[in-house]
Amino acid sequence: MPVFSTNDDVKIFYQDVGPKDALPLIMIHGFTGSSAVFLHNIHPLSQKHRVIAPDLRGHGESESRATGYHVSRLAMDLKNLIDHLELPHTGDIIAIGASLGAAVLWSYSELFTTAVFSHMVFVDQAPLQNYTADGDWGPSHGSRGCNSAATLAYLQATLNLSPGSAYQGIIDACLAYRSHPLPTDNVSAEKREGDSNFFLEVAMLGDASWRGKLMANHTALDWRASIRHNFATRSSTTKVLVIASERSGCFPTAGPLTVVDLINAGQEAPRRLATGVTISWGGHWCYWENPEKFNALVREFLNH
């Protein structure tokens, strides 16, 4: 894979597939993943786009340092990648952020505005993971797993002592046929084992302790006011698709779909830039479980 160095000298690997003169489409994976999780999406989408998929800092083949375990640092890495590739700053970039990848895009928008993006897709990520003490944000919206100091401490301890079991728990929560099984799933034992082995191999590439520090930052960040300000108040023109799964082991659908309300707040119908879709054909990692439907959903969004 190609590689570049960030402004703090960390090597970031990325995939770059498709015609170089096509509109760029950046795909940003989630916690414990890598660009490899988009195996079934990159080539189909590259038929009409230049698809760029980085391994986030501390994930996949990319390096990490003793510091840098903050969503804002990952957003700066994205800015460094856009500049390295000399992508247009004319509002023509498309971006897909899955889980943590969505938060990276929210942070980028806060730091640098949404001006370079024509379209954004946020996949199954609530704007706040933790539950709030006042009860305003709780089990109906926040994370099903990591949502408090106690659950974070448990995850960090497991990552330090038994990273494989921590990653297996994440895999079980992120695949719909594991978190919310249906009689109609028809998933073979070979497929189950293959998925587990694949995602576990990808996850084990990173430093588990560093990942625990990154999750501490990620799960505590409340993006609600930032999203409202950067996508609604600042008159962004970026069109947004929010995908929420009713079979997600990570979030109830109301969490991710709140992003639609935040972006469209106070806007009349012609000015509403965000659309929400609830799916049942996949879970948190729906792009892996049913790539044909995911790719078709993205294409339909980009064509309207």
Side-chain angles (χ1 to χ4, degrees), residues 101-112:
V104 172
L105 291 175
W106 297 334
S107 182
Y108 184 103
S109 301
E110 182 174 80
L111 295 169
F112 307 110

Side-chain angles (χ1 to χ4, degrees), residues 28-34 37-38 40-41 59 97-101 123-125 166-179 191-192 194-203 243-251 279 281-292 294:
I28 307 174
H29 65 79
F31 187 67
T32 76
S34 78
V37 304
F38 297 124
H40 305 301
N41 315 107
H59 294 74
S99 190
L100 170 65
V123 184
D124 206 52
Q125 176 65 48
Y167 295 144
Q168 187 60 57
I170 292 171
I171 293 168
D172 291 342
C174 293
L175 294 169
Y177 66 79
R178 291 176 179 270
S179 68
K191 169 67 172 172
R192 289 173 180 271
D195 283 353
S196 285
N197 291 341
F198 169 78
F199 284 106
L200 189 58
E201 182 179 351
V202 169
I243 301 174
S245 171
E246 60 186 26
R247 297 176 65 197
S248 171
C250 299
F251 298 100
I279 64 163
W281 40 260
H284 194 62
W285 291 341
C286 57
Y287 46 85
W288 175 269
E289 293 183 82
N290 201 322
E292 292 81 9
F294 180 85

Side-chain angles (χ1 to χ4, degrees), residues 17-181:
V17 182
K20 295 297 185 286
D21 59 348
L23 291 177
L25 191 164
I26 302 175
M27 304 189 75
I28 307 174
H29 65 79
F31 187 67
T32 76
S34 78
S35 61
V37 304
F38 297 124
L39 173 67
H40 305 301
N41 315 107
I42 289 176
H43 287 282
L45 293 175
S46 70
Q47 301 307 306
K48 291 188 176 181
H49 297 90
R50 177 185 181 183
V51 179
I52 301 153
D55 286 357
L56 293 176
R57 173 185 299 242
H59 294 74
E61 301 295 332
S62 293
E63 293 181 337
S64 64
R65 294 283 187 264
T67 59
Y69 39 79
H70 302 94
V71 176
S72 59
R73 179 62 254 187
L74 303 184
M76 187 65 197
D77 293 345
L78 174 59
K79 176 69 163 59
N80 291 163
L81 174 61
I82 290 172
D83 291 344
H84 167 73
L85 294 175
E86 298 182 344
L87 299 183
H89 286 66
T90 53
D92 294 321
I93 299 174
I94 301 157
I96 299 175
S99 190
L100 170 65
V104 172
L105 291 175
W106 297 334
S107 182
Y108 184 103
S109 301
E110 182 174 80
L111 295 169
F112 307 110
T113 80
T114 64
V116 300
F117 299 106
S118 63
H119 298 74
M120 287 184 176
V121 180
F122 306 137
V123 184
D124 206 52
Q125 176 65 48
L128 172 61
Q129 296 208 160
N130 281 350
Y131 299 167
T132 58
D134 62 6
D136 174 61
W137 192 266
S140 62
H141 291 78
S143 172
R144 299 188 194 274
C146 196
N147 51 46
S148 66
T151 55
L152 172 65
Y154 179 80
L155 174 62
Q156 289 179 317
T158 309
L159 284 168
N160 289 332
L161 298 174
S162 181
S165 62
Y167 295 144
Q168 187 60 57
I170 292 171
I171 293 168
D172 291 342
C174 293
L175 294 169
Y177 66 79
R178 291 176 179 270
S179 68
H180 293 76

Side-chain angles (χ1 to χ4, degrees), residues 208-289:
S209 177
W210 188 93
R211 296 256 184 83
K213 295 174 183 177
L214 174 62
M215 180 53 73
N217 177 250
H218 173 47
T219 197
L221 292 171
D222 185 348
W223 292 106
R224 290 176 291 177
S226 177
I227 291 169
R228 184 186 299 110
H229 177 71
N230 293 300
F231 287 85
T233 307
R234 296 181 75 175
S235 299
S236 170
T237 59
T238 303
K239 296 180 180 178
V240 172
L241 173 66
V242 175
I243 301 174
S245 171
E246 60 186 26
R247 297 176 65 197
S248 171
C250 299
F251 298 100
T253 56
L257 292 177
T258 297
V259 175
V260 177
D261 297 331
L262 293 170
I263 294 174
N264 291 340
Q267 303 294 341
E268 298 297 328
R271 183 67 181 83
R272 292 174 187 162
L273 296 174
T275 302
V277 175
T278 300
I279 64 163
S280 60
W281 40 260
H284 194 62
W285 291 341
C286 57
Y287 46 85
W288 175 269
E289 293 183 82

